[in-house]
Amino acid sequence: MNKNNTMKKLTLTFCLLTSFSIYSQFKYQANSIESFNSYLSLAKEQNKLVLIDFVADWCGPCKKMDSELWKSKQFKELDYMFIEVDIDVNSVLSSRFRVSSIPRVIIQVANTQNDILFDQLGYSTKNEYLKKLQYLNSFDYSELYNSNGDFENMGHSYRNLFFSDVSKNNIFLKFSSKYFKKAFKAKESNLNQLNLIYNQALLGQHKKAKKKLAKINLDGKEFSNSEHELIEKILIASN
C-alpha cells in the first residue's frame, strides 16, 4: 500500500471516529455533582440553556422518550447543553431538584440563580415537547449570561428577550420583574421602581401601572433622562 492510500485511510478513520465522538457526546452523563457543575460552567461559556433529563434504567417511559424524542433528527438540530441524570446514580442531584417521579425534564439557565424556564413531569409525545424545546432554543441568551449576576442587568436582559419574542410569551417578562424586585430591594431607586411599573404595563396590568405611577410625585421632581424615558414608555404601554 502506497503512502497516499495510507494517509487517505487514516484521514477517513479519523473522520469516522470524530463523527462517532460528536454523536456520543450528544448527551452528557452527570453521575456526580462535580460533573453536573462542570457542564453548567460549559453551558455558561457557550451561552446555552441546560436541558436536564432525569431517568432510570427501570423507567419504560424514559426509554420511549429517548428513542422517540432525544434521538430524533429534530431534537438533534437544537443547541442545548443536554444532561442526563440517572436518579439511582446521582441521588444527591435528584434530591436537589426534588425529583420524586420520572420522566422529568427541566430546562434552566446556567446563571447564578439557575432560573428554570421549563419543568415537565411525565411522558409526553415528541411533538408536544419539540414545540416548547424549539421555542426556548430560538433565543440568544448571551446578554443574560453577560449580566454577571447583577439584578438590574438581568432584569433588562430578560425584558429584551421578551421584546425579541414574536409570540410575547410572559415567561421572560416575569423573570425580568423578579430581578427588578431584587434590584429594588437592594436599592430603592426611582429607576428600579419605574422598571417594575413598566413591566406591569407590558403584562397588561394597565390600571395597576397607572396607579403606582401616580403615587410617584412627578410634579416638581427631578428625574434622570433614563427615568423620563421609562415614564414615557409606561404611559404609552398603559394606553
Side-chain angles (χ1 to χ4, degrees):
M1 187 180 293
N2 61 44
K3 186 175 180 181
N4 287 337
N5 286 337
T6 302
M7 288 300 296
K8 286 179 181 178
K9 284 202 169 188
L10 286 171
T11 302
L12 178 61
T13 302
F14 175 76
C15 290
L16 288 171
L17 286 172
T18 303
S19 299
F20 178 77
S21 175
I22 291 171
Y23 179 81
S24 67
Q25 293 300 316
F26 167 68
K27 183 189 290 185
Y28 294 89
Q29 308 289 329
N31 295 327
S32 66
I33 293 294
E34 290 75 19
S35 62
F36 179 73
N37 289 338
S38 68
Y39 299 143
L40 290 187
S41 297
L42 185 59
K44 186 176 181 180
E45 288 176 12
Q46 298 177 358
N47 299 321
K48 290 183 180 182
L49 288 184
V50 177
L51 192 157
I52 313 167
D53 182 28
F54 291 94
V55 301
D57 285 339
W58 44 263
C59 176
C62 300
K63 292 179 180 179
K64 191 173 183 180
M65 281 182 61
D66 184 59
S67 62
E68 292 181 355
L69 175 61
W70 307 132
K71 290 181 180 177
S72 69
K73 179 183 177 182
Q74 295 96 321
F75 178 70
K76 289 180 181 179
E77 290 173 347
L78 303 181
D79 193 23
Y80 283 98
M81 175 59 63
F82 185 30
I83 304 173
E84 183 181 84
V85 179
D86 188 317
I87 63 172
D88 293 326
V89 174
N90 197 341
S91 58
V92 176
L93 189 62
S94 302
S95 296
R96 178 190 291 180
F97 283 92
R98 299 179 181 177
V99 178
S100 58
S101 182
I102 52 176
R104 173 95 174 269
V105 177
I106 290 174
I107 298 176
Q108 72 168 63
V109 182
N111 59 5
T112 55
Q113 304 294 311
N114 295 324
D115 296 325
I116 293 177
L117 304 181
F118 177 84
D119 189 345
Q120 184 159 323
L121 174 64
Y123 172 79
S124 187
T125 63
K126 179 179 80 172
N127 289 337
E128 286 177 299
Y129 262 106
L130 275 174
K131 187 177 180 181
K132 190 67 174 180
L133 299 181
Q134 289 167 339
Y135 166 74
L136 289 174
N137 192 242
S138 65
F139 298 96
D140 180 2
Y141 296 93
S142 57
E143 182 186 359
L144 183 60
Y145 278 116
N146 291 329
S147 60
N148 296 320
D150 180 85
F151 293 148
E152 188 178 338
N153 287 339
M154 289 170 78
H156 285 294
S157 299
Y158 270 118
R159 188 158 63 200
N160 288 337
L161 284 169
F162 169 77
F163 285 142
S164 69
D165 182 8
V166 176
S167 67
K168 290 296 177 283
N169 190 309
N170 289 339
I171 184 172
F172 294 130
L173 207 53
K174 287 178 179 178
F175 274 106
S176 175
S177 295
K178 169 187 171 181
Y179 286 108
F180 281 130
K181 283 178 183 176
K182 286 179 177 288
F184 183 70
K185 188 175 180 180
K187 183 181 179 182
E188 295 186 8
S189 67
N190 288 326
L191 191 61
N192 288 330
Q193 188 175 11
L194 288 168
N195 272 313
L196 279 169
I197 297 172
Y198 183 34
N199 278 6
Q200 281 190 315
L202 291 172
L203 282 166
Q205 299 170 9
H206 299 152
K207 289 184 179 179
K208 286 184 178 180
K210 286 180 178 179
K211 190 175 180 180
K212 286 190 176 181
L213 186 61
K215 286 183 178 180
I216 299 176
N217 184 13
L218 300 180
D219 296 329
K221 194 170 186 177
E222 292 187 5
F223 291 96
S224 66
N225 290 336
S226 297
E227 289 164 350
H228 274 298
E229 287 176 8
L230 269 175
I231 291 169
E232 289 298 320
K233 287 178 180 178
I234 292 167
L235 293 172
I236 292 169
S238 298
N239 292 327

